[in-house]
């Protein structure tokens, strides 16, 4: 019984540390930066972030993202009126309100996590991604949406990479709960 109580105390302490970083992450997402290539943050578990947009997804960021784990947030940077059918392609990640025809600036589109942020970024921006868990912003039907949104990556500190399987899913769950993205769900 004592071990179970100790374990619960440890988990509560971890959740409190994550909660502090979640507040920092939300503040950064709300700052409305459209570009950033590796700004430092004052987090306990996360050390930096990067804003990826359509212009820099293939260029400048690869060396800073390679081998990094973390969480990410897709955010609308401009209003976008949907004039095409989101349901046209298989494996589409659709907004919770399938009939939604207008995305509004500052809405959170998606919250996710990854053990390889470089791979995950490519999956979301690619037109060839075969995973059902991808926004597929490279598809013709989604290209306008890609230009109206940004992806903000948050990097887990390297010294915590061995604990990422605990830290990252809890962080994603908390972000999802607080930001209420239009699509997706935390998978713990």
């Amino acid at each position: 019984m004592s071990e179970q109580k100790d374990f619960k105390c440890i988990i509560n302490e971890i959740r409190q540390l994550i909660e502090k970083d979640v507040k920092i992450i939300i503040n950064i997402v709300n700052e409305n930066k459209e570009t950033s290539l590796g700004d430092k943050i004052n987090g306990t578990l996360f050390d930096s972030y990067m804003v990826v947009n359509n212009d820099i997804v293939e260029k400048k960021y690869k060396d800073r993202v390679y081998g990094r784990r973390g969480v990410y947030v897709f955010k609308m940077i401009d209003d976008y009126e949907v004039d095409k059918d989101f349901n046209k392609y298989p494996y589409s990640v659709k907004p919770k309100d399938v009939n939604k025809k207008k995305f509004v600036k500052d809405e959170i589109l998606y919250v996710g996590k990854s053990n390889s942020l470089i791979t995950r970024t490519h999956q979301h921006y690619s037109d060839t991604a075969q995973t059902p868990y991808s926004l597929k912003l490279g598809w013709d039907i989604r290209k306008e949406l890609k230009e109206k949104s940004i992806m903000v990556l948050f990097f887990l500190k390297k010294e915590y990479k061995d604990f990422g399987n605990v830290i990252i899913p809890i962080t994603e769950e908390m972000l999802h709960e607080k930001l209420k993205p239009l699509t997706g769900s935390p998978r713990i």
Side-chain angles (χ1 to χ4, degrees):
M1 190 67 165
S2 168
E3 289 177 9
Q4 186 178 6
K5 186 176 180 181
D6 291 343
F7 183 73
K8 285 182 179 180
C9 288
I10 291 168
I11 294 297
N12 281 337
E13 287 178 29
I14 292 170
R15 290 186 73 83
Q16 288 172 6
L17 287 174
I18 293 170
E19 182 70 37
K20 289 178 185 177
D21 278 24
V22 164
K23 288 178 183 175
I24 293 168
I25 289 170
I26 290 171
N27 285 337
I28 290 168
V29 168
N30 290 333
E31 283 180 359
N32 292 321
K33 283 190 176 180
E34 290 188 28
T35 58
S36 164
L37 291 175
D39 290 352
K40 298 288 182 197
I41 63 175
N42 193 21
T44 304
L45 304 168
F46 293 83
D47 63 1
S48 58
Y49 75 99
M50 179 182 298
V51 179
V52 177
N53 61 31
N54 191 36
D55 297 330
I56 64 170
V57 74
E58 293 294 333
K59 301 172 190 167
K60 305 171 188 171
Y61 80 97
K62 287 183 182 181
D63 59 331
R64 295 177 183 168
V65 179
Y66 187 79
R68 299 297 301 269
R69 305 171 78 176
V71 294
Y72 57 93
V73 176
F74 271 96
K75 178 181 174 178
M76 297 303 297
I77 57 170
D78 204 352
D79 292 346
Y80 173 58
E81 190 94 24
V82 178
D83 61 352
K84 296 181 180 159
D85 181 10
F86 265 104
N87 300 316
K88 184 175 178 180
Y89 292 97
Y91 301 119
S92 288
V93 175
K94 300 173 191 87
K96 289 177 185 165
D97 176 4
V98 175
N99 297 318
K100 185 173 180 69
K101 293 291 184 184
K102 184 171 175 119
F103 295 89
V104 180
K105 181 180 178 179
D106 295 331
E107 278 186 315
I108 303 301
L109 186 59
Y110 190 81
V111 172
K113 66 181 181 301
S114 183
N115 287 326
S116 173
L117 286 170
I118 193 166
T119 300
R120 199 70 185 113
T121 303
H122 284 289
Q123 287 173 339
H124 281 300
Y125 280 97
S126 170
D127 60 352
T128 60
Q130 295 301 313
T131 172
Y133 306 111
S134 174
L135 292 175
K136 295 168 188 58
L137 294 173
W139 283 351
D140 286 341
I141 201 165
R142 304 260 173 110
K143 283 190 175 163
E144 294 94 355
L145 185 59
K146 177 166 67 172
E147 294 165 3
K148 305 284 186 178
S149 64
I150 56 172
M151 182 181 192
V152 189
L153 311 171
F154 294 91
F155 304 109
L156 184 67
K157 287 183 177 181
K158 290 179 182 176
E159 62 260 32
Y160 295 117
K161 79 175 193 163
D162 292 338
F163 305 103
N165 290 341
V166 173
I167 297 167
I168 293 171
I170 294 171
T171 305
E172 180 201 26
E173 176 189 32
M174 288 181 177
L175 285 169
H176 206 278
E177 184 179 296
K178 292 182 183 311
L179 293 173
K180 307 211 181 313
L182 296 173
T183 190
S185 63
R187 289 175 294 283
I188 294 192

